[in-house]
């Protein structure tokens, strides 16, 4: 879309993508005026909390800001427009956002023209919006997850207004395609395949703040990936809260395994990753596709949450400990070198010492490459928040420390098994501590540092893995 051809003297179009381009053109005029007034371009800063889905959304926000002419900065205090893309999955995610807002309060006093925006999952909670309206008057714009596609329009309204602009939708069944977007890395990209979640795990706020599950049409996903491949992207990460149930809500249903088969055919794409997989929906068809694929990475993130069947039931996860272990067995049988990672919650209401021992047992049996361990956080409005026998904090802390020690010991052993092997590495960046080194990723997602320069970024090269340092390798490139 050519922004110069948009006539902003006309009324904004109704078709959504065209409408948002129109508002980008409007914002560009605002940026020009700013430049004339201040003798410099305005700066923007996008700060992201939460999961890969939020990270992908933030790339799109940054893309729109760049198109309007804002210059990106990482320093919130220096920006003329700051946006926080928030997460509310655990209480500490919320606390961090309030912390950032607190720090910006004196800054905004000195720089009153500064605009501060909030979006993302936390904004879908009415109590949060009330609190901000009352206690954080420095905020200029609030919107939620369902109308993020309207960002250009909301940005323009905010830039032109002196009042706090608030636009939150309760839900949506809409997926808006063909919006402008941007990528942080030229060689890899996240690709949304579905939005929302219908699982309602009893501890989890995501279904309430992200809405009902909706899948993008296969043609839309494939079209986007073909374009990415043309632009030089070699690795895609397919994103959804529960990718294994992809396609179920489409008029012409398509399985996730079927989608993967078609992505495999796209020339130029070398690596395919996806997250997150829910164990209950991981099909034999998917295992079969993974077994025969040349491109799907040898890594699966398979959150177990708990090893106790009783707790899993209270969590509404809809699998048992035995079913989970059987799934792992099948996966390892089909793909012997697969690396498995997981998420575990400690201290779910009613968790006994025996339940916790079951979790340790799963950790010892599966031997994860790594595990994200979380202390259960009570989320208002979820069924678990109302459950009796919440576990006392000191008990949870003790279990958490024991779990972490176990996970780390196993992970150090598991990760070291590739020592001495030569394996392909996708180079991602110059090493942040030592610029004589570059950093890349193995198919199994482990990081590797080795001597090299910028010219290798985006390439897949063979590296001899000389030494394992726990969760990363040091190596040297093998030139054949
Ligand atoms: N859709 C993904 C997870 C999204 S949230 C899945 O089903 O696996 C990421 C992780 O946060 C979850 O796997 C879970 O381990 C953790 N989590 C979610 N709600 C939580 C809560 N209330 N307290 C602690 N951890 C939580
Ligand atoms: Fe939350 Fe469960 Fe949905 Fe994951 S699958 S987002 S844990 S409700
Ligand atoms: Fe957080 Fe929302 Fe992701 S609550 S984990 S940012 S979907």
């Amino acid at each position: 879309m050519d922004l110069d051809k948009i006539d902003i003297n006309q009324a904004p179009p109704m078709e959504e993508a065209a409408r948002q381009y129109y508002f980008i053109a409007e914002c560009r005029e605002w940026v020009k005026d700013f430049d004339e007034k201040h003798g410099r371009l305005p700066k923007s800063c996008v700060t992201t909390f939460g999961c890969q889905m939020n990270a992908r959304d933030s790339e799109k926000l940054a893309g729109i800001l760049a198109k309007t002419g804002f210059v990106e900065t990482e320093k919130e205090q220096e920006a003329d427009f700051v946006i926080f893309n928030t997460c509310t999955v655990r209480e500490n995610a919320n606390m961090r956002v309030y912390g950032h807002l607190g720090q910006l309060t004196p800054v905004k006093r000195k720089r009153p023209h500064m605009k501060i925006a909030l979006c993302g999952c936390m904004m879908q909670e009415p109590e949060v919006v009330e609190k901000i309206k009352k206690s954080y008057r420095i905020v200029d714009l609030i919107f939620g997850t369902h109308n993020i596609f309207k960002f250009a329009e909301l940005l323009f309204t905010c830039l032109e207004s002196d009042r706090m602009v608030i636009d939150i939708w309760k839900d949506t069944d809409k997926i808006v395609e063909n919006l402008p977007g941007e990528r942080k890395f030229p060689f890899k990209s996240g690709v949304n395949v579905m939005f929302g979640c219908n699982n309602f795990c009893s501890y989890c706020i995501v279904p309430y703040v992200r809405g009902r599950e909706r899948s993008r049409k296969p043609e839309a996903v494939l079209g986007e990936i073909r374009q990415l491949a043309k632009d030089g992207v070699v690795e895609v990460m397919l994103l959804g809260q529960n990718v294994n149930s992809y396609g179920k809500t489409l008029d012409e249903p398509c399985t996730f395994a079927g989608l993967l088969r078609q992505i495999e055919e796209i020339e130029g794409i070398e690596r395919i990753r996806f997250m997150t997989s829910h164990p209950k929906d991981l099909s034999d068809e998917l295992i079969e596709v993974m077994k025969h694929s040349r491109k799907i990475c040898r890594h699966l993130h398979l959150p177990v949450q708990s090893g106790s069947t009783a707790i899993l039931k209270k969590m509404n996860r809809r699998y048992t400990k035995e079913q989970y272990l059987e799934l792992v067995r099948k996966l390892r049988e089909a793909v012997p070198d697969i690396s498995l990672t997981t998420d575990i919650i400690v201290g779910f209401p009613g968790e006994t010492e025996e339940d916790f021992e079951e979790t340790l047992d799963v950790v010892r049996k599966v031997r994860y490459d790594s595990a994200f361990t979380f202390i259960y956080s009570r989320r208002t409005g979820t069924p678990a928040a109302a459950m009796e026998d919440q576990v006392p904090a000191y008990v949870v802390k003790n279990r958490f420390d024991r779990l972490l020690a176990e996970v780390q010991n196993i992970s150090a052993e598991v990760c070291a098994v590739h020592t001495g092997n030569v394996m392909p590495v996708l180079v991602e960046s110059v090493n942040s501590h030592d610029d004589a080194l570059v950093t890349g990723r193995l198919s199994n997602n482990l990081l590797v540092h080795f001597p090299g320069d910028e010219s290798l970024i985006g390439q897949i090269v063979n590296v001899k893995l000389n030494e394992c340092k726990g969760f990363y390798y040091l190596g040297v490139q093998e030139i054949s």
Side-chain angles (χ1 to χ4, degrees), residues 198-218:
N198 283 353
N199 286 316
F200 291 96
C201 301
S202 64
Y203 50 82
C204 185
I205 193 87
V206 171
Y208 304 89
V209 295
R210 286 273 170 173
R212 293 295 58 73
E213 187 177 297
R214 353 188 245 293
S215 297
R216 287 176 74 192
K217 291 203 173 89

Side-chain angles (χ1 to χ4, degrees), residues 227-327:
Q227 187 56 48
L228 290 170
K230 270 193 203 132
D231 294 346
V233 166
V234 292
E235 177 177 306
V236 288
M237 163 77 99
L238 311 177
L239 298 171
Q241 290 299 351
N242 176 14
V243 289
N244 304 83
S245 73
Y246 170 81
K248 289 187 181 161
T249 54
L250 291 172
D251 295 338
E252 287 170 48
C254 164
T255 61
F256 184 57
L259 180 72
L260 282 170
R261 264 195 215 105
Q262 296 181 72
I263 297 173
E264 178 99 16
E265 303 290 308
I266 298 176
E267 213 174 305
I269 298 297
E270 305 284 346
R271 282 183 170 183
I272 305 168
R273 300 184 186 278
F274 50 86
M275 76 185 313
T276 303
S277 290
H278 193 305
K280 81 172 161 62
D281 295 313
L282 201 146
S283 64
D284 289 346
E285 187 195 8
L286 178 64
I287 298 178
E288 207 43 37
V289 169
M290 289 183 81
K291 180 175 172 174
H292 298 290
S293 166
R294 288 179 302 108
K295 297 185 176 175
I296 299 174
C297 287
R298 285 359 210 174
H299 169 225
L300 189 70
H301 186 63
L302 195 62
V304 65
Q305 313 300 1
S306 167
S308 152
T309 296
I311 293 295
L312 287 169
K313 190 159 179 19
K314 287 178 78 181
M315 285 178 161
N316 192 30
R317 291 289 290 181
R318 287 172 275 178
Y319 52 85
T320 63
K321 177 188 181 187
E322 289 69 33
Q323 284 167 334
Y324 183 89
L325 290 174
E326 172 58 15
L327 185 58

Side-chain angles (χ1 to χ4, degrees), residues 49-51 53-54 86-89 121 205-206 209-210 241:
F49 302 87
C51 64
M53 246 87 38
N54 255 21
T86 64
C87 169
T88 186
V89 78
C121 297
I205 193 87
V206 171
V209 295
R210 286 273 170 173
Q241 290 299 351

Side-chain angles (χ1 to χ4, degrees), residues 255-425:
T255 61
F256 184 57
L259 180 72
L260 282 170
R261 264 195 215 105
Q262 296 181 72
I263 297 173
E264 178 99 16
E265 303 290 308
I266 298 176
E267 213 174 305
I269 298 297
E270 305 284 346
R271 282 183 170 183
I272 305 168
R273 300 184 186 278
F274 50 86
M275 76 185 313
T276 303
S277 290
H278 193 305
K280 81 172 161 62
D281 295 313
L282 201 146
S283 64
D284 289 346
E285 187 195 8
L286 178 64
I287 298 178
E288 207 43 37
V289 169
M290 289 183 81
K291 180 175 172 174
H292 298 290
S293 166
R294 288 179 302 108
K295 297 185 176 175
I296 299 174
C297 287
R298 285 359 210 174
H299 169 225
L300 189 70
H301 186 63
L302 195 62
V304 65
Q305 313 300 1
S306 167
S308 152
T309 296
I311 293 295
L312 287 169
K313 190 159 179 19
K314 287 178 78 181
M315 285 178 161
N316 192 30
R317 291 289 290 181
R318 287 172 275 178
Y319 52 85
T320 63
K321 177 188 181 187
E322 289 69 33
Q323 284 167 334
Y324 183 89
L325 290 174
E326 172 58 15
L327 185 58
V328 168
R329 192 197 61 74
K330 278 201 280 187
L331 277 160
R332 288 234 161 100
E333 187 178 65
V335 190
D337 57 344
I338 197 164
S339 119
L340 293 174
T341 58
T342 201
D343 293 345
I344 301 171
I345 298 177
V346 182
F348 184 83
E351 184 189 75
T352 62
E353 178 60 24
E354 290 70 41
D355 291 320
F356 176 67
E357 294 281 343
E358 299 274 9
T359 300
L360 286 178
D361 187 47
V362 169
V363 166
R364 291 184 191 124
K365 287 201 165 105
V366 177
R367 297 180 61 78
Y368 295 105
D369 282 59
S370 70
F372 295 101
T373 50
F374 303 111
I375 287 181
Y376 167 71
S377 173
R378 203 170 176 169
R379 309 316 289 136
T380 312
T382 62
M387 285 180 191
E388 284 166 14
D389 44 332
Q390 304 275 329
V391 185
Y394 73 95
V395 177
V396 180
K397 179 76 175 68
N398 171 280
R399 287 180 194 162
F400 182 83
D401 291 345
R402 282 154 64 204
L403 176 66
L404 194 63
E406 191 73 50
V407 160
Q408 285 176 342
N409 285 339
I410 293 173
S411 144
E413 285 173 24
V414 174
C415 296
V417 302
H418 307 289
T419 309
N421 294 356
V422 176
M423 290 171 92
V425 171

Side-chain angles (χ1 to χ4, degrees), residues 20 74 91 105 148 168 246 281 291 336 350 406 422 438 442 446 470:
Q20 296 312 314
E74 281 177 10
E91 189 55 30
T105 304
I148 189 166
I168 312 276
Y246 170 81
D281 295 313
K291 180 175 172 174
E406 191 73 50
V422 176
V438 289
L442 296 171
L446 280 180

